[in-house]
Amino acid sequence: EDQVTQSPEALRLQEGESSSLNCSYTVSGLRGLFWYRQDPGKGPEFLFTLYSAGEEKEKERLKATLTKKESFLHITAPKPEDSATYLCAVQAAGNTGKLIFGQGTTLQVKP
Amino acid sequence: NAGVTQTPKFRVLKTGQSMTLLCAQDMNHEYMYWYRQDPGMGLRLIHYSVGEGTTAKGEVPDGYNVSRLKKQNFLLGLESAAPSQTSVYFCASSKGLGRVDHNSPLHFGNGTRLTVT
C-alpha cells in the first residue's frame, strides 16, 4: 500500500534557526514527490516536484532533496513568514495523476 | 486568473440533508480531484476525474457522488449528510500526466468548510 509519513508533526524555530522536515514514503513506482505549503484557511500551494533520487530543488530559503525512501525539506535561516503547514505527497505509477499526502508538518517561526 | 474556485466557503447541514459543492477551474485542466482534510488524517482523495464525462472513486468515496458534465466544473454531492462528513473539502485540478519526469502539479482551491450537526 502506498504510504507517506511526515515528521515531526510540529516544529518551533527561532528566526534564523535552520532545520529540516522529513517525508518518508513507500510507493509502487514513483512518478513524482511533491511539496506543498498550506496557510491557515487556504488551500495547499505548490512548492516543488522531485522525480528521482539525488535530485534537489531550491526556492528562496527552502531546499528539497530526494532519496529512494525519503525526502527532506531544508529551511535555511527561516523567517516568521515561513510559518505554515508543509505537506508532502507522492504520485504513484499509473494514469490517474492522484496524489497521496502525508499528515503534514506545522512550522512556527518566532521572531 | 481565478484558478480553482470553490463555492460555498462555509456550510452547516443537519444530519440527513443533501447538498452539492461546486468547483470551477479556468485553466483548461483535464484532471480534477476532490479531497477532504481532517485533523491528523491529512488530505484524502474522495473522487477524481481524468476528463469531461469521466469519474472514478478515490480512497474514501462512500457517501459522496460526483459529476463532470463540463470540463471546467466538478461537482461533489452529499445525498444524506452524516456528522462523519464534517470536514474541509478541497477541489484541485491539473493539466494531467505528461512525461514521467515532467508532471503537472495539482492546483487547489481554498476549500469549503462543512459542518454536519
Side-chain angles (χ1 to χ4, degrees):
Chain A
E1 181 183 347
D2 300 332
Q3 195 168 2
V4 179
T5 303
Q6 292 187 245
S7 61
E9 288 187 15
L11 183 62
R12 287 185 178 181
L13 299 174
Q14 289 296 128
E15 184 172 2
E17 180 186 2
S18 301
S19 188
S20 297
L21 282 55
N22 177 262
C23 171
S24 298
Y25 66 91
T26 55
V27 64
S28 52
L30 181 70
R31 278 193 67 103
L33 185 140
F34 295 74
W35 281 98
Y36 283 82
R37 169 189 171 127
Q38 186 175 22
D39 293 300
K42 301 290 187 181
E45 177 185 346
F46 171 71
L47 292 173
F48 304 108
T49 311
L50 302 167
Y51 297 103
S52 57
E55 188 175 2
E56 298 182 353
K57 288 195 176 171
E58 288 188 66
K59 180 179 181 180
E60 295 182 357
R61 295 174 292 282
L62 301 177
K63 183 168 83 172
T65 61
L66 181 65
T67 72
K68 288 186 177 180
K69 294 184 177 180
E70 57 191 350
S71 177
F72 292 94
L73 185 65
H74 306 278
I75 303 175
T76 302
K79 298 181 177 182
E81 53 261 43
D82 294 322
S83 297
T85 296
Y86 291 86
L87 303 173
C88 171
V90 297
Q91 189 176 67
N95 63 354
T96 67
K98 61 185 178 182
L99 296 183
I100 301 162
F101 283 85
Q103 291 92 334
T105 293
T106 300
L107 173 65
Q108 184 180 30
V109 182
K110 294 192 171 185
Chain B
N1 189 345
V4 178
T5 303
Q6 293 184 235
T7 54
K9 290 183 171 57
F10 302 94
R11 185 72 186 268
V12 178
L13 288 179
K14 293 185 178 180
T15 298
Q17 288 184 320
S18 63
M19 77 163 294
T20 300
L21 281 65
L22 310 179
C23 177
Q25 52 94 3
D26 62 0
M27 297 172 283
N28 200 35
H29 283 173
E30 286 293 331
Y31 290 22
M32 296 188 75
Y33 308 84
W34 276 106
Y35 284 86
R36 60 179 287 175
Q37 187 174 40
D38 303 290
M41 301 292 290
L43 283 154
R44 292 180 293 169
L45 182 64
I46 305 171
H47 286 281
Y48 63 97
S49 167
V50 297
E52 181 179 317
T54 74
T55 62
K57 294 180 180 180
E59 181 186 358
V60 288
D62 293 343
Y64 305 96
N65 56 76
V66 287
S67 64
R68 183 102 182 268
L69 299 179
K70 293 183 178 180
K71 185 177 182 178
Q72 63 268 33
N73 296 334
F74 196 28
L75 309 181
L76 178 70
L78 285 73
E79 294 180 345
S80 179
S84 61
Q85 295 177 304
T86 294
S87 186
V88 182
Y89 292 86
F90 286 99
C91 176
S93 70
S94 77
K95 290 181 182 178
L97 299 176
R99 302 196 316 265
V100 69
D101 62 345
H102 188 74
N103 293 331
S104 171
L106 272 61
H107 297 262
F108 284 84
N110 282 325
T112 293
R113 186 174 296 276
L114 175 66
T115 301
V116 183
T117 61

